[in-house]
Amino acid sequence: MIKELIIDSSPNGATIALLQDKQLVELHKEQVSNNYTVGDIYLGRIKKIMPSLNAAFVDVGYEKDAFLHYLDLGPQVQSLLKLTKQVRSGGYQSKLLDGFKLEADINKGGKISEILTKNQLIPVQIAKEPISTKGPRLSSDLSIAGRYVVLVPFSEAISISKKIKSNTERTRLRKVVESIKPKHFGVIIRTVSEGKGVDELQKDLLDLISKWEQFITKLPSVEPSKKVLGEIGRTSTILRDILNPDFQHIYTNDNSMFEEIRSYIHEISPDMESIVRMHKHKEPIFDHFGIEKQIKGAFGKTVNLAGGAYLVIEHTEALHVIDVNSGNRTASKENQEENAYQVNKEAAKEIARQLRLRDMGGIVVIDFIDMHKPQNRKELFDFLRAEMQYDRAKHTILPPSKFGLVQITRQRVRPEMNIVTSEVCPTCNGTGTIRPTILLMDDIENNFNYILTEQNEKGITLCVHPYIEAYIKKGIYNRQMKWFIKYGQWIKVKSNPSYQITEFHFFSSKDEEIKL
């Protein structure tokens, strides 16, 4: 399996596309303004204790208070509270936990009112980003993730990924980590650690210890509700978690992003540094790799499959329903049972991709086409489980019910990726009445008068539909040349196939959209 990562960077953030064998399987958006990323650690202030929910609402600076349940406090929350109090008062000077006396674990069936009080300060970690009308979900069981290991303070336990099957390798990794981990820190050994040497594991662990020291250094001076320690960017997080020898290329269209990724890969996997490439074509990076077209085809209520079948996907707040339809496959000469089995297998593969692509979480109910043979139902269930093994989100798949429905629960830690693929009518703009298209050039030139004359912008770019670009550039003495003579500066004209035919936008010399 060949994997490629394509990163479209802009001043507002980055859109990250993961391709497997040229097919889009994951799409992530990293916003510059996103301050509540999974893994970020904040110094929270308890705003309200809710005994009926056995939970607390915590102020972390978000417009809505974040939610912290008793079960998410972590067994060593008393040690965390004690350390926070001592560090902020200046009573504990060390950056590690060698001289720190751990408190007893809390009772799993206890009450949150026995642990926390109103206005108390507690370091908390974002476990779920704000979704819909809900604020962030928090945990005070802190952990700092690296490429090979995860550092867990106030613990001595060493846990090893269940995906590492070899007992010899598990014993080796445990001995290596035991010899290098600091006192009162637990370690979770990740799957990618398999086969790695002491040097690589130690370097990763030292990086995490350095982050913990940053946390302790900032803790005395940070204001309540502010971030203490930030998770690395979404791009680096994806690389940290999934980078492996299957990766063939990583493309980006931004110089600073290119250097950042290359530097990060040099740290975690120097032998793969050469796979990072700079996209230098004039064509937008997502258009060049066919991603824009795949996005338009993969999102939306109806998803067509190659064999003529299709999926209908409906969403609610916590439930997603997927209906499998055979479409024109009903005309097949195969018998009905075999035809249903083949359509269901094709649908199962696409459904596994759709869950990752849209990052659908909560409960997913799939209505496959009815099959009468128990063997076919079992094989379909096994096939779906095999396709879902590439999904990094925690999930559970239940066998088909007596109604033929397959239920999946999938972890949701970020808002679902939702892209509107239906376009507003280019002639009426959704109003039912149209503006004369003969006035399109007048509209563009009126905006030029405002941007160039009144705003005095320099080096602007006009972005339009490819048909309009061709019209503007047609002939020697074309519209672009006339604008140069009229305004005294050359106006770049670029096309974007995803635009409606009468849609146009202006961009500054810094590639930021000029809002009109």
Side-chain angles (χ1 to χ4, degrees), residues 20 26 163 351-357 359-360 385-395 408-411:
Q20 286 182 354
E26 286 186 27
K163 292 181 181 178
I351 288 166
R353 171 181 172 243
Q354 286 288 331
L355 295 182
R356 293 174 67 189
L357 190 55
D359 206 6
M360 291 158 61
R385 287 177 60 185
E387 289 296 318
M388 289 287 290
Q389 69 179 337
Y390 302 109
D391 196 337
R392 290 179 291 131
K394 292 178 183 176
H395 59 270
I408 300 175
T409 58
R410 188 175 182 274
Q411 182 187 34

Side-chain angles (χ1 to χ4, degrees), residues 327-341:
N328 60 22
R329 278 291 293 268
T330 52
S332 170
K333 292 180 181 177
E334 301 163 344
N335 66 57
Q336 187 177 352
E337 179 76 12
E338 183 61 26
N339 185 63
Y341 176 63

Side-chain angles (χ1 to χ4, degrees), residues 295-305 309-315 320-325 350-351 354 358 360 416-422:
I295 290 172
K296 294 290 185 185
F299 287 85
K301 181 177 176 179
T302 304
V303 178
N304 294 312
L305 305 180
Y310 63 94
L311 309 176
V312 177
I313 304 176
E314 294 280 4
H315 306 278
H320 308 275
V321 181
I322 303 176
D323 185 30
V324 180
N325 291 280
E350 180 61 24
I351 288 166
Q354 286 288 331
R358 301 186 189 212
M360 291 158 61
E416 180 189 336
M417 178 64 67
N418 184 25
I419 295 175
V420 178
T421 56
S422 57

Side-chain angles (χ1 to χ4, degrees), residues 277-468:
R277 306 284 177 85
M278 183 70 189
H279 176 75
K280 295 180 180 178
H281 295 270
K282 291 182 180 179
E283 189 180 17
I285 188 167
F286 272 17
D287 290 336
H288 181 77
F289 289 98
I291 295 169
E292 194 67 42
K293 187 176 180 181
Q294 288 196 54
I295 290 172
K296 294 290 185 185
F299 287 85
K301 181 177 176 179
T302 304
V303 178
N304 294 312
L305 305 180
Y310 63 94
L311 309 176
V312 177
I313 304 176
E314 294 280 4
H315 306 278
T316 66
E317 181 72 19
L319 177 71
H320 308 275
V321 181
I322 303 176
D323 185 30
V324 180
N325 291 280
S326 57
N328 60 22
R329 278 291 293 268
T330 52
S332 170
K333 292 180 181 177
E334 301 163 344
N335 66 57
Q336 187 177 352
E337 179 76 12
E338 183 61 26
N339 185 63
Y341 176 63
Q342 293 301 329
V343 169
N344 283 339
K345 277 188 71 175
E346 189 181 357
K349 186 171 185 177
E350 180 61 24
I351 288 166
R353 171 181 172 243
Q354 286 288 331
L355 295 182
R356 293 174 67 189
L357 190 55
R358 301 186 189 212
D359 206 6
M360 291 158 61
I363 301 170
V364 181
V365 179
I366 307 166
D367 182 12
F368 284 107
I369 298 170
D370 289 342
M371 295 184 297
H372 302 292
K373 292 182 180 177
Q375 181 63 27
N376 284 348
R377 290 199 293 270
K378 182 183 182 302
E379 285 182 13
L380 176 64
F381 176 63
D382 292 340
F383 180 78
L384 180 60
R385 287 177 60 185
E387 289 296 318
M388 289 287 290
Q389 69 179 337
Y390 302 109
D391 196 337
R392 290 179 291 131
K394 292 178 183 176
H395 59 270
T396 304
I397 309 172
L398 299 181
S401 70
K402 65 179 180 180
F403 299 116
L405 303 176
V406 172
Q407 299 169 69
I408 300 175
T409 58
R410 188 175 182 274
Q411 182 187 34
R412 177 169 67 169
V413 296
R414 296 185 182 90
E416 180 189 336
M417 178 64 67
N418 184 25
I419 295 175
V420 178
T421 56
S422 57
E423 297 180 354
V424 176
C425 172
T427 51
C428 74
N429 204 30
T431 63
T433 59
I434 67 168
R435 178 173 172 77
T437 51
I438 197 170
L439 299 179
L440 176 64
M441 285 300 125
D442 290 348
D443 289 343
I444 291 173
E445 289 176 11
N446 287 339
N447 284 305
F448 279 149
N449 289 329
Y450 172 73
I451 294 167
L452 302 176
T453 309
E454 296 184 32
Q455 297 292 105
N456 200 27
E457 286 275 359
K458 303 291 183 186
I460 71 165
T461 301
L462 169 66
C463 203
V464 292
H465 187 276
Y467 289 170
I468 306 302

Side-chain angles (χ1 to χ4, degrees), residues 116-186:
L116 301 176
T117 57
K118 189 177 178 181
N119 290 324
Q120 188 175 10
L121 298 181
I122 178 172
V124 286
Q125 195 162 28
I126 305 294
K128 272 189 183 180
E129 294 179 11
I131 297 173
S132 187
T133 57
K134 300 173 185 174
R137 175 103 184 220
L138 304 176
S139 168
S140 56
D141 193 7
L142 305 185
S143 62
I144 306 173
R147 175 153 170 77
Y148 301 119
V149 296
V150 179
L151 189 68
V152 184
F154 313 112
S155 171
E156 298 292 351
I158 297 175
S159 306
I160 303 174
S161 167
K162 292 178 181 177
K163 292 181 181 178
I164 299 176
K165 303 294 184 185
S166 167
N167 288 329
T168 306
E169 180 63 8
R170 292 174 71 88
T171 304
R172 183 189 75 86
L173 288 170
R174 185 180 294 277
K175 286 182 178 178
V176 167
V177 170
E178 275 177 351
S179 66
I180 59 177
K181 85 172 186 67
K183 187 179 179 183
H184 295 331
F185 281 95

